[in-house]
Amino acid sequence: MRQKSRADGPLPGPFRESFWRSPIRGPWLTSVFGLVLLIGIPVMFATGLFSYAAYNPNLASVNDETPGKGLLGFYLFSWPTHPIWLYRLNQGTHVTLGLVLVPIVLFKLWSVLPKLFEWPPLHSLAHLLERISLVAVVGGIIFELATGILNIQTYYKFPQGGNFYALHFYGAWVFIGGFVMHVAIKFPAMVRALRGHSTWDVLRTDLARTRPEPLDAGGLVALQPDPPTISRRGMLAFAGGASALVGLLVVGQSLGGPFRKTALLAPHGQEMTGVNGASPDFQVNMTAEGAGVTAADAHASIWTLTLNSEVITGTGMPPEGTDTVTKVTTLTRADLLKLEQHTVSLPIACVEGWSTENQTWTGVRLADLAKMAGVPEPSSMLTRSMQKGGAFSRAVMSQAQTIDPDSLLALRVNGADLTLDHGYPARVIVPDAPGVHNTKWVSSLTFRR
Ligand SMILES: Nc1nc2c(c(=O)[nH]1)N[C@H]1C(S)=C(S)[C@@H](COP(=O)(O)O)O[C@H]1N2
Ligand SMILES: [Mo]
């Protein structure tokens, strides 16, 4: 193994090894944080990829416009409609875990901070590769956590009108590339460091008996350590405590029930807007006012639902304005209420991690509307909202989602007519779909084959 000389070089300040004085910094502490991330990050990555697949990004550009995702979208599959809680669990895990790992990432970065100032910055080809992987892994995790947090804080103003999906998706692949390289390079050192000390001994060592680790080749252990002000177990308790606290302040938005009140860090966690017959009501992300939908537009004497059929030739969406769509019929809310009504119990689960408990939705099966449109076996369905503009006013659903008996055009929820904020006169509700596909204030359904 390379034995780097552990002595100060010519540069001042943090570039000098003697600048770094923490007596607990060292391979063991770094490896403990590293091990936590080694377990957590693959779960983050997998739930992130699942979440992306659940949007049906390949079905239509209205779902996702990520350019050139073809190669990285190799794994995309048709997201299932059952079990109905799967997306809720997936997204609750992705978002909660991402936030819980923030303190761990910060502590891990602190533990290796001297490496940022390592001098000389490059001394071999292997070292160059290691440093490239570090740029991807450190830059990547900061970028992924930052974009993820901005999105769940409903800050949607990403550059160019904002494509969070594209940024977060590409960022994830860059990050995971660096992560895999970093793990491959560091895994043996991590195992060695963890084996070198009994965890049990470390946990029994108080401040007075805390000593620096033996000098390491990697340059984490201080050359001239100060006396300790915190034990290693104290540091672990601090990091674990910070992580647990963040978790406790967000997980309620995904668990629901009495825990919802504990989600102090979640922007939607505790909202209970309006009353929809039965109280307490469930939260509303996008209000009618926010979407520019007025009670007058939605009035039962004005509103109609248009059913279209469309024959798609080739792949993807025909260019806007191309007339491949045939208008089959229009229905009023009264017409819809005369059709066979079905009741299902389904949650709304947003990509942002928050979700509702199961709500009782009543309305007409999408499958029945597809038959009325003369497309009993649609390859997909395009929903349009009467909301003008807005990224979420259109969505395309897969065949499985469209013909599932639990997929409804809902007219009522929890025993009362939908309120305007819940999507009156009609909203799509599909089992296990991301919330964004549960379009509100529906104006047309286009069944495609
Ligand atoms: N027309 C319309 N439908 C919409 C949205 C929207 O902005 N406009 N938001 C979607 C998103 S992102 C989610 S998570 C759910 C949330 O439902 P809620 O706004 O009733 O809470 O509605 C979906 N349906
Ligand atoms: Mo959402």
Side-chain angles (χ1 to χ4, degrees):
M1 204 211 327
R2 180 181 65 88
Q3 278 296 328
K4 185 154 107 34
S5 67
R6 298 288 316 268
D8 279 343
L11 289 174
F15 295 99
R16 275 175 190 245
E17 290 210 10
S18 55
F19 177 88
W20 303 96
R21 301 277 178 141
S22 167
I24 60 171
R25 212 179 250 129
W28 186 84
L29 197 64
T30 293
S31 297
V32 171
F33 293 132
L35 181 61
V36 175
L37 295 176
L38 182 58
I39 296 165
I41 280 174
V43 178
M44 287 288 296
F45 187 63
T47 50
L49 291 189
F50 290 153
S51 178
Y52 186 65
Y55 278 76
N56 299 325
N58 273 351
L59 271 187
S61 60
V62 302
N63 287 358
D64 178 56
E65 289 184 331
T66 305
K69 64 174 172 275
L71 206 57
L72 296 179
F74 68 92
Y75 75 94
L76 292 174
F77 57 98
S78 181
W79 184 250
T81 52
H82 290 271
I84 60 162
W85 42 260
L86 189 63
Y87 188 77
R88 194 179 171 199
L89 175 70
N90 185 84
Q91 215 50 26
T93 305
H94 186 70
V95 171
T96 309
L97 190 59
L99 291 170
V100 160
L101 289 183
V102 169
I104 306 299
V105 167
L106 294 176
F107 278 93
K108 170 77 161 61
L109 290 177
W110 171 83
S111 81
V112 295
L113 200 52
K115 307 281 277 181
L116 186 62
F117 299 93
E118 198 175 19
W119 204 265
L122 290 177
H123 51 68
S124 66
L125 185 63
H127 194 224
L128 175 69
L129 290 179
E130 182 185 333
R131 302 226 95 179
I132 291 174
S133 77
L134 281 179
V135 171
V137 82
V138 177
I141 193 71
I142 292 173
F143 182 82
E144 288 302 280
L145 291 176
T147 49
I149 289 170
L150 284 176
N151 191 61
I152 61 171
Q153 295 298 326
T154 68
Y155 179 88
Y156 302 125
K157 297 180 213 78
F158 289 91
Q160 266 89 53
N163 197 337
F164 163 73
Y165 304 97
L167 292 174
H168 205 62
F169 179 72
Y170 286 133
W173 283 105
V174 171
F175 165 69
I176 211 72
F179 177 80
V180 167
M181 245 171 108
H182 184 63
V183 171
I185 295 169
K186 293 294 186 186
F187 191 76
M190 183 191 82
V191 173
R192 226 180 301 123
L194 291 175
R195 286 230 176 104
H197 298 254
S198 135
T199 309
W200 181 234
D201 282 348
V202 176
L203 293 180
R204 281 188 314 179
T205 305
D206 61 12
L207 180 59
R209 292 187 297 124
T210 295
R211 304 274 177 275
E213 289 183 58
L215 271 193
D216 62 322
L220 292 178
V221 179
L223 278 180
Q224 297 159 30
D226 282 337
T229 53
I230 188 170
S231 62
R232 284 188 186 79
R233 70 177 181 192
M235 190 68 161
L236 292 183
F238 191 44
S243 199
L245 183 65
V246 171
L248 285 175
L249 293 181
V250 292
V251 73
Q253 69 167 346
S254 315
L255 290 179
F259 299 104
R260 200 167 293 282
K261 291 201 175 56
T262 63
L264 298 174
L265 282 184
H268 297 290
Q270 308 165 291
E271 277 167 34
M272 294 287 169
T273 337
V275 171
N276 196 61
S279 63
D281 195 11
F282 59 100
Q283 74 228 50
V284 169
N285 187 15
M286 174 60 90
T287 60
E289 198 187 346
V293 173
T294 66
D297 301 329
H299 198 273
S301 63
I302 293 180
W303 176 85
T304 56
L305 172 76
T306 305
L307 296 184
N308 300 316
S309 73
E310 182 174 15
V311 180
I312 308 266
T313 48
T315 50
M317 280 268 282
E320 203 72 44
T322 316
D323 214 4
T324 54
V325 177
T326 313
K327 180 169 160 181
V328 180
T329 184
T330 55
L331 300 165
T332 64
R333 203 178 130 96
D335 296 333
L336 287 165
L337 284 165
K338 278 184 221 132
L339 301 174
E340 193 180 342
Q341 303 291 303
H342 295 267
T343 296
V344 298
S345 183
L346 295 174
I348 290 181
C350 180
V351 65
E352 292 156 20
W354 62 267
S355 52
T356 71
E357 286 82 25
N358 289 350
Q359 311 293 332
T360 308
W361 305 90
T362 304
V364 182
R365 277 188 181 150
L366 295 178
D368 290 346
L369 295 171
K371 279 179 209 140
M372 283 182 82
V375 193
E377 282 181 11
S379 56
S380 64
M381 179 190 83
L382 167 68
T383 312
R384 276 201 174 84
S385 169
M386 57 201 236
Q387 174 186 0
K388 302 274 176 297
F392 307 144
S393 59
R394 297 183 299 171
V396 173
M397 225 76 83
S398 71
Q399 175 172 61
Q401 290 172 320
T402 309
I403 63 176
D404 192 285
D406 284 351
S407 298
L408 300 185
L409 182 70
L411 305 168
R412 296 163 63 79
V413 65
N414 298 333
D417 286 344
L418 291 172
T419 57
L420 192 55
D421 282 339
H422 282 311
Y424 183 89
R427 120 176 261 174
V428 166
I429 183 93
V430 169
D432 201 35
V436 62
H437 285 180
N438 293 323
T439 310
K440 306 202 279 191
W441 315 292
V442 173
S443 60
S444 76
L445 298 174
T446 302
F447 296 95
R448 314 153 95 197
R449 73 189 143 195

